[in-house]
Amino acid sequence: MSSEDQPSPEILNQEEKYLQKVHPAPEDIPGCMKLFDDFLLCNVMSSQLKSLYRYGEMATCSPKLEEFKFCMSLKGMHPEEKRDFWIRRRAEWWARRRIHRSSEDVWDVRTEPLQNYPPRQLDPNIQNPRTID
């Protein structure tokens, strides 16, 4: 991974603090069976067809397999240590996502509502239209 793909320590720290709040106990992190189920669900025909329809290519399930293998590598650890390793890995993933472009980069945030949207449509058959205006 190149140095430009590495998130800054500040971003990584922010992600870790957030994940520690969201997952305060070792029981809050996903188990290996959940990660294995996610991997298997990625490979079923409906998921593959959805990916083919949306993106024009088959879904890549190798990241889900890597998550499962990572979980299995933590099996012998103490639950708190396992949680810390998992949080570190997820924080790195989220931090890398933050530094790359996303679909959110396409849209500008609107500061005020559009004028006359949705357009008012009055029914010509009504004599005295009642409106909120």
Side-chain angles (χ1 to χ4, degrees), residues 71-129:
C71 181
M72 291 302 289
S73 73
L74 302 178
K75 272 307 218 191
M77 292 183 176
H78 186 271
E80 280 296 327
E81 191 179 16
K82 181 179 175 180
R83 175 184 163 269
D84 293 340
F85 272 93
W86 184 84
I87 284 177
R88 179 70 178 186
R89 181 177 169 103
R90 288 306 280 179
E92 289 171 357
W93 183 82
W94 278 110
R96 276 194 307 274
R97 278 196 66 185
R98 280 176 61 181
I99 62 173
H100 291 288
R101 293 182 52 86
S102 75
S103 61
E104 295 172 357
D105 297 335
V106 175
W107 305 103
D108 293 326
V109 176
R110 189 174 288 139
T111 57
E112 55 189 54
L114 290 175
Q115 297 299 318
N116 196 24
Y117 187 84
R120 289 179 50 193
Q121 296 179 355
L122 300 177
D123 188 352
N125 298 330
I126 298 176
Q127 294 296 331
N128 290 329

Side-chain angles (χ1 to χ4, degrees), residues 19-91:
L19 288 170
Q20 286 169 351
K21 288 178 184 173
V22 173
H23 306 285
E27 301 81 37
D28 296 326
I29 64 170
C32 293
M33 285 305 294
K34 164 78 171 94
L35 297 172
F36 186 64
D37 287 345
D38 290 346
F39 169 67
L40 291 179
L41 285 173
C42 179
N43 286 295
V44 297
M45 187 178 288
S46 61
S47 294
Q48 292 295 328
L49 288 174
K50 185 188 308 180
S51 178
L52 190 60
Y53 177 77
R54 288 182 179 171
Y55 309 111
E57 59 187 35
M58 302 296 272
T60 306
C61 299
S62 57
K64 295 186 182 299
L65 179 60
E66 291 304 315
E67 283 295 313
F68 170 69
K69 290 190 318 190
F70 176 74
C71 181
M72 291 302 289
S73 73
L74 302 178
K75 272 307 218 191
M77 292 183 176
H78 186 271
E80 280 296 327
E81 191 179 16
K82 181 179 175 180
R83 175 184 163 269
D84 293 340
F85 272 93
W86 184 84
I87 284 177
R88 179 70 178 186
R89 181 177 169 103
R90 288 306 280 179

